[in-house]
Amino acid sequence: MKNHLEIAMEAIELVKPSIELLFEQTNRKELHIVVMDPRVKPWEASFEDAILCQTSLGNPSEWTIPFDEFARNKARQAWRSTRPNLASQTLHTSSLHDDDLLFYGSFVYGDIVVACSGVEQWFDMLVSGWIAVAFEQLCMSEYQKNKTNNPTKTYRNK
């Protein structure tokens, strides 16, 4: 059975062709992606320990803006509040911290939090959404295959 890290990376690879197509209409072709571990809640671990994976598209050594830091900041906001950081920035500004980035670009789907930075913030959010939904559905596929192949198994990984 695939683990969460493998599935998250598979989700990113699955949507990469769409990201590359989207790059034809964005302001740049650079992106940093952060996927939080949906099994870890803010009261259980530090933010850094809850990051499941992160990766960059484009050449980070040529970035003039720290998109990796921006994406982590967006992810932190969304993970902390369990809602996309767009909600904090437009509806609930009282919850913003002094060091919160003032761009949106995260997506929350159930317990999955994904954040991106590198292109226009609405496209960062779009890509985050694609990855979040792909991650959940790939997890569902893995879960269903496991249940079909092991119908008497009592626990997921025991």
Side-chain angles (χ1 to χ4, degrees), residues 80-111:
R80 182 179 71 219
S81 68
T82 66
R83 61 182 175 237
N85 70 328
L86 173 66
S88 300
Q89 294 184 18
T90 58
L91 299 172
H92 306 290
T93 56
S94 62
S95 67
L96 290 171
H97 292 201
D98 290 343
D99 60 348
D100 281 344
L101 185 70
L102 299 181
F103 299 109
Y104 64 89
S106 63
F107 196 88
V108 178
Y109 184 65
D111 291 329

Side-chain angles (χ1 to χ4, degrees), residues 103-127:
F103 299 109
Y104 64 89
S106 63
F107 196 88
V108 178
Y109 184 65
D111 291 329
I112 297 172
V113 174
V114 179
C116 296
S117 191
V119 293
E120 293 91 333
Q121 58 189 343
W122 45 91
F123 289 141
D124 287 340
M125 185 174 178
L126 175 62
V127 173

